[in-house]
């Protein structure tokens, strides 16, 4: 027994070393010497032995990259030294000013040596190694204190859990700064999957990286293809290098991955040439970069230059222009949404933009088309500011030859032939058709969506068939569909028909709020439906309320009240509701949750990096808070994400407290 245990120990030691070595060659050096399947084989064998003999597993085994038990919240950790931010320039003149400032400060006219690096569009982190072992990983936070995400960074394949000791001597303390990023290909895959599952898609790889990194359950982080490039240092004791480029070389010795494609440059011209070269290579890189970072190479000079405000004097970001392409508008067509809104969409000559082929671009509404004077046949400039959705920046008027045609909204709905009208003071044109198939399809999709009745199996393809074959004319008809009819549809079978019928049956046991949401009343989303349900307590109560009474409900303004009253005044809508109730709906009115946020009213604006808005909303409501759609004097907090709308300005105007995402998180976690 003792013998075999010795042999086992030896095998585990040997396997651990091999997996570590080949992982390093693969993830850090990008130069594997065994095939993927050979590596997988060793990895699996090691994991199995460790599982069977946990007492023999070595600390920091490379198999520990699968994540640990979930945590309740992240602790706060102080950085070894403050994590600063970068100033940025956008053209060669500003860059020349930077160089002059540096020279003036150093009282020197000699050309200085700089290191230039790609600016990785990811999430900044600090990793602390004590005696060569990774002890803490943290987010930037406010620059002084960050969140302790050690569990999560440990799951990143290229993050060494222990530094290699076969090269440069390992310092007693080494704080490395770097950028966690979501590789572009993995990002596209993630968004495709999320879209298919009907989930919120990330606007850009940076948000996806932030989302993955801030998971309380590190197993989720482990399942994402996150990667890390190192670009700087915090405290290092003792420091054994004199320049930024020395430091990069040391990183590789220690088994860490420095930012690739760095170069030593002298003077502005070389830096500009480098920046332009990187801009040209940008779309071919497997990760997002949004500019380059210029750093004075000598650490001694960096020390002398120091910092001003929150930025070092020795470094500067030199950003790229947003990515643009030009193409031609072949046609403009209109799409009809759930509430009948007609959205004009430009069909484009396919064009490559930021690595993807773009064929369509929404033109949003008629005002936008008129403001930019967009015509069919126009050559246009498209832009994607690192985000997924491309938009038309402007028309290239010089390219016009007179054959361009102005676009007019159709007078009749392209889907059902009903009248199209535009309400005064509104940008949107709407189809009035009660049974417009496009509206019907969208409203059925909404009816079954997650925040409404959450009917699994009621997918887009099925809805299309149901509407086109005229099997349903409204949502209530779903409840009289027979198994045979459903089973006979394309991509369906007896099993999926039975499942759907079961799901439909289950959906009748729901809350009043979800039911009201599912009706798809204009301006009434999940949050307003909830408020209405709480206020009136019954469907009859809501249906019977006069416009006047509705305005008295908190967060319901005159426009929303009008929409609600108008909806229930419509005999067709009442008939559908009667049919639904006859199908056996049982509605539970909910008492509002009680918690730390009881009595507080929130408005969310802009997109959040680490949670979807509906997740944020749920968390607020779960603690007793309310979320409303518009800012008023009654609002307690406005939560501002990226690209906030006019609501942020409104908040300022009304003196309402504004929170950023971290602030919201602090409140939710009871720390704020
Ligand atoms: S050096 C004083 N190098 O960009 C800060 N930063 O906008 C020195 N970043 O907070 C940072 N790539 O998170 C540096 N090659 C690179 C970078 C880089 C991305 C991030 C970093 C920083 C932010 C500033």
């Amino acid at each position: 027994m003792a013998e075999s245990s010795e042999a086992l120990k030896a095998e585990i030691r040997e396997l651990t070393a091999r997996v570590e070595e080949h992982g390093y060659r693969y993830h850090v050096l990008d130069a594997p010497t065994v095939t993927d399947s050979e590596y997988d084989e060793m990895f699996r064998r090691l994991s199995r032995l460790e599982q069977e003999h946990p007492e023999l597993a070595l600390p920091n085994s490379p198999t520990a990259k699968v994540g640990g038990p979930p945590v309740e919240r992240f602790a706060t950790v102080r950085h070894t030294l403050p994590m600063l931010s970068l100033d940025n320039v956008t053209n060669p003149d500003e860059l020349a000013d930077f160089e002059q400032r540096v020279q003036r400060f150093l009282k020197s006219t000699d050309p200085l040596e700089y290191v230039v690096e790609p600016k990785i569009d990811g999430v900044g982190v600090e990793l602390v190694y004590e005696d060569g072992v990774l002890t803490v990983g943290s987010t930037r936070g406010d620059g002084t204190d960050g969140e302790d995400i050690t569990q999560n960074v440990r799951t990143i394949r290229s993050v060494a859990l222990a530094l290699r000791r076969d090269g440069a001597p390992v310092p007693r303390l080494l704080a490395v700064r770097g950028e966690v990023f979501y590789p572009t290909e993995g990002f596209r895959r993630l968004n495709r999957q999320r879209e298919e599952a009907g989930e919120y898609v990330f606007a850009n790889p940076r948000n996806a990286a932030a989302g993955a990194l801030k998971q309380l359950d590190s197993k989720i982080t482990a399942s994402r293809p996150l990667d890390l490039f190192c670009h700087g240092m915090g405290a290092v004791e003792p420091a054994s290098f004199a320049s930024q480029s020395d430091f990069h070389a040391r990183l590789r010795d220690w088994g860490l991955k420095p930012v690739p494609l760095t170069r030593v440059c002298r003077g502005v011209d070389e830096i500009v040439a480098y920046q332009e070269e990187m801009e040209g290579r940008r779309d071919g890189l497997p990760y997002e970069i949004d500019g380059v970072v210029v750093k004075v190479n000598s650490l001694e000079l960096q020390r002398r230059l120091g910092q001003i405000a929150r930025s070092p004097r020795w470094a500067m970001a030199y950003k790229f222009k947003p990515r643009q392409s030009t193409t031609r508008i072949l046609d403009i067509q209109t799409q009809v949404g759930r509430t009948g809104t007609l959205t004009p969409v430009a069909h484009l000559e396919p064009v490559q933009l930021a690595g993807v082929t773009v064929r369509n671009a929404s033109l949003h509404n008629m005002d936008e088309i008129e403001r930019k004077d967009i015509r069919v046949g126009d050559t246009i400039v498209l832009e994607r500011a690192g985000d997924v959705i491309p938009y038309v920046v402007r028309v290239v008027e010089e390219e016009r030859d007179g054959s361009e045609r102005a676009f007019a909204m159709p007078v009749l709905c392209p889907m059902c032939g009903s009248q199209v009208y535009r309400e005064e003071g509104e940008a949107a044109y709407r189809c009035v058709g009660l049974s417009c198939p496009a509206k019907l399809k969208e409203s059925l999709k909404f009816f079954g969506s997650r925040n409404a009745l959450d009917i699994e199996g009621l997918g887009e393809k099925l809805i299309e068939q149901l509407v086109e074959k005229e099997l349903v004319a409204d949502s209530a008809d779903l409840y009289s569909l027979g198994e045979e009819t459903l089973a006979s549809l394309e991509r369906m079978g007896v099993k999926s028909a039975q499942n759907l019928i079961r799901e439909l049956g289950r959906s009748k046991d729901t809350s009043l709020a979800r039911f009201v949401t599912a009706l798809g009343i204009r301006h009434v989303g999940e949050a307003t439906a909830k408020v209405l349900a709480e206020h009136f307590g019954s469907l009859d109560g809501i249906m019977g309320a006069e416009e006047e009474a509705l305005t008295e409900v908190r967060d319901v303004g005159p426009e929303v009240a009008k929409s609600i009253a108008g909806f229930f005044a419509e005999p067709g809508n009442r008939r559908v509701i009667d049919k639904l109730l006859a199908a056996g709906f049982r509605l539970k009115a909910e008492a509002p949750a009680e918690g730390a946020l009881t009595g507080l009213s929130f408005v969310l604006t802009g997109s959040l990096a680490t949670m979807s808005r509906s997740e944020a909303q749920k968390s607020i409501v779960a603690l007793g808070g309310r979320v409303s759609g518009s800012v008023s004097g009654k609002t307690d907090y406005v939560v501002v994400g990226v690209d906030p709308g006019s609501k942020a300005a409104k908040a300022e105007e009304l003196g309402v407290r504004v929170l950023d995402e971290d602030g919201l998180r602090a409140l939710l976690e009871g720390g704020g």
Side-chain angles (χ1 to χ4, degrees):
M1 200 54 200
E3 225 174 41
S4 74
S5 143
E6 276 311 306
L8 252 176
K9 242 193 217 162
E11 180 173 5
I12 288 181
R13 204 177 321 115
E14 142 112 36
L15 261 176
T16 306
R18 280 176 60 205
V19 172
E20 228 159 48
E21 177 65 24
H22 290 293
Y24 168 68
R25 291 188 196 178
Y26 182 87
H27 294 295
V28 179
L29 302 183
D30 203 9
T33 50
V34 295
T35 64
D36 287 6
S37 64
E38 283 169 315
Y39 177 76
D40 289 346
E41 173 67 37
M42 309 178 211
F43 192 97
R44 266 198 305 272
R45 172 143 182 86
L46 178 59
S47 310
R48 219 193 53 232
L49 291 178
E50 287 176 341
Q51 251 163 36
E52 289 167 2
H53 310 276
E55 72 288 356
L56 298 183
L58 297 180
N60 296 318
S61 163
T63 57
K65 300 238 158 208
V66 291
V71 293
E72 291 255 321
R73 64 166 71 177
F74 298 120
T76 300
V77 277
R78 174 124 322 168
H79 296 302
T80 56
L81 292 172
M83 286 178 82
L84 304 178
S85 49
L86 285 174
D87 263 345
N88 62 73
V89 297
T90 52
N91 59 52
D93 289 342
E94 290 171 4
L95 183 69
D97 291 345
F98 162 70
E99 172 164 60
Q100 275 180 12
R101 274 200 305 279
V102 169
Q103 288 178 330
R104 220 179 305 129
F105 195 91
L106 295 174
K107 301 192 174 54
S108 142
T109 47
D110 300 339
L112 283 178
E113 196 174 87
Y114 298 92
V115 169
V116 277
E117 312 173 349
K119 184 167 191 300
I120 311 297
D121 198 5
V123 183
V125 295
E126 177 171 79
L127 307 180
V128 179
Y129 290 89
E130 290 171 73
D131 293 320
V133 176
L134 175 64
T135 50
V136 179
S138 55
T139 60
R140 180 174 182 281
D142 62 8
T144 306
D145 298 296
E147 284 173 307
D148 182 343
I149 49 159
T150 313
Q151 284 240 60
N152 293 353
V153 294
R154 283 174 65 95
T155 69
I156 300 174
R157 265 40 116 220
S158 57
V159 168
L161 302 179
L163 300 178
R164 294 171 66 91
R165 295 183 171 275
D166 53 357
V170 166
R172 197 172 44 69
L173 172 70
L174 171 69
V176 178
R177 270 88 189 261
E179 210 71 8
V180 170
F181 62 96
Y182 211 111
T184 321
E185 204 185 300
F187 168 71
R188 298 220 172 96
R189 201 177 327 121
L190 174 76
N191 261 359
R192 257 199 315 275
Q193 285 163 356
R194 294 183 69 95
E195 193 161 3
E196 273 161 25
E199 287 168 333
Y200 152 93
V201 295
F202 289 102
N204 52 49
R206 181 175 10 91
N207 287 0
L213 205 53
K214 294 210 183 173
Q215 293 291 332
L216 294 171
D217 182 352
S218 56
K219 293 213 169 50
I220 301 179
T221 314
S223 74
R224 305 281 192 255
L226 292 180
D227 206 342
L228 172 97
F229 286 140
C230 302
H231 54 57
M233 62 194 103
V236 185
E237 291 162 18
S240 59
F241 33 85
S243 66
Q244 180 75 20
S245 35
D246 275 357
F247 176 64
H248 276 234
R250 287 297 92 76
L251 286 172
R252 216 173 274 112
D253 284 348
W254 292 325
L256 294 165
K257 192 152 75 171
V259 197
L261 305 173
T262 58
R263 189 177 297 167
V264 175
C265 289
R266 272 173 198 280
V268 170
D269 292 347
E270 280 181 39
I271 300 172
V272 170
Y274 174 86
Q275 196 257 14
E276 285 169 359
E277 182 186 327
M278 287 301 138
E279 190 157 24
R281 293 176 64 173
R282 185 181 189 189
D283 289 344
L285 297 176
Y287 43 85
E288 275 285 329
I289 63 176
D290 59 355
V292 303
V293 182
V294 183
K295 302 173 182 176
V296 170
N297 196 11
S298 151
L299 297 187
E300 167 57 20
L301 295 184
Q302 287 187 7
R303 198 190 50 75
R304 275 173 51 198
L305 283 158
Q307 68 188 71
I308 180 160
R310 305 287 290 158
S311 311
R313 258 196 213 92
W314 47 267
M316 185 60 80
Y318 183 3
K319 300 276 274 250
F320 297 142
K321 292 179 285 301
R323 286 193 275 212
Q324 297 188 331
S325 294
T326 47
T327 187
R328 230 166 55 86
I329 299 185
L330 303 174
D331 195 8
I332 298 177
Q333 288 176 358
T334 40
Q335 279 176 0
V336 187
R338 169 172 62 87
T339 53
T341 310
L342 271 63
T343 304
V345 177
H347 294 273
L348 309 170
E349 211 158 79
V351 63
Q352 286 295 114
L353 178 57
V356 296
T357 310
V358 181
R359 296 190 164 78
N360 302 305
S362 172
L363 301 177
H364 307 294
N365 55 49
M366 204 59 209
D367 286 353
E368 174 94 352
I369 294 179
E370 282 165 2
R371 196 163 52 76
K372 294 183 179 160
D373 188 20
I374 298 169
R375 306 179 196 173
V376 176
D378 264 339
T379 299
I380 48 125
V381 177
L382 274 184
E383 186 168 303
R384 261 184 71 176
D387 285 5
V388 172
I389 302 159
Y391 68 99
V392 175
V393 185
R394 63 184 174 90
V395 168
V396 186
E397 283 190 32
E398 309 84 79
E399 292 285 328
R400 281 192 177 153
D401 64 8
S403 68
E404 295 75 21
R405 284 181 294 112
F407 168 80
M409 271 290 177
V411 274
L412 300 179
C413 169
M415 293 305 295
C416 71
S418 303
Q419 287 288 329
V420 166
Y421 76 103
R422 181 187 212 176
E423 220 164 271
E424 225 169 288
E426 274 202 19
Y429 284 73
R430 252 174 255 286
C431 161
V432 297
L434 270 181
S435 54
C436 173
K439 277 165 74 170
L440 179 56
K441 280 181 203 169
E442 292 303 317
S443 66
L444 290 175
K445 256 198 262 173
F446 186 76
F447 186 81
S449 66
R450 185 166 301 179
N451 293 336
L453 294 182
D454 196 11
I455 304 170
E456 207 171 304
L458 187 63
E460 185 157 0
K461 287 277 175 303
L462 177 64
I463 290 177
E464 254 164 40
Q465 296 184 67
L466 293 173
V467 172
E468 269 151 35
K469 294 192 189 329
E470 298 185 12
L471 293 168
V472 299
D474 56 51
S475 52
D477 288 344
L478 292 170
Y479 293 87
S480 40
L481 288 168
E483 185 182 313
E484 230 167 279
T485 313
L486 282 170
S488 71
L489 297 173
E490 247 174 72
R491 302 225 226 157
M492 292 290 283
V494 177
K495 187 98 198 130
S496 28
Q498 286 170 347
N499 287 344
L500 179 60
I501 289 174
R502 191 167 359 93
E503 270 289 299
L504 284 163
R506 194 195 49 76
S507 74
K508 294 185 222 170
D509 247 324
T510 192
S511 66
L512 174 58
R514 278 180 181 269
F515 184 82
V516 172
T517 307
L519 294 176
I521 306 168
R522 200 147 81 84
H523 302 312
V524 180
E526 197 192 351
T528 310
K530 201 153 183 160
V531 177
L532 290 170
E534 281 165 13
H535 187 97
F536 293 102
S538 73
L539 185 61
D540 282 341
I542 302 173
M543 287 176 70
E546 307 260 331
E547 206 175 309
E548 177 87 56
L550 287 162
T551 15
E552 278 161 25
V553 180
R554 60 164 202 254
D555 302 336
V556 174
E559 197 188 352
V560 182
K562 185 166 166 217
S563 166
I564 299 168
F567 181 90
F568 291 116
E570 184 68 49
N573 291 336
R574 284 193 170 252
R575 261 198 307 277
V576 176
I577 293 170
D578 286 342
K579 255 165 85 180
L580 283 169
L581 295 176
F585 268 84
R586 287 171 296 271
L587 309 179
K588 302 182 290 283
E590 280 166 318
E594 283 283 324
L597 305 184
T598 298
L600 296 177
S601 158
F602 291 75
V603 171
L604 305 172
T605 175
S607 58
L608 303 176
T610 62
M611 49 186 144
S612 69
R613 274 216 241 169
S614 93
E615 282 161 356
Q617 179 169 327
K618 280 206 185 107
S619 312
I620 292 170
V621 171
L623 291 176
R626 282 178 281 123
V627 177
S628 111
S630 53
V631 185
S632 74
K634 291 181 255 172
T635 310
D636 294 294
Y637 291 102
V638 172
V639 180
V640 175
V642 180
D643 285 337
S646 57
K647 290 171 192 171
K650 182 88 185 276
E652 200 167 324
E653 204 178 289
L654 294 175
V656 175
R657 271 175 291 182
V658 171
L659 287 180
D660 63 6
E661 190 163 348
D662 288 335
L664 171 63
R665 203 169 266 287
L667 266 190
L668 291 173
E669 289 167 359

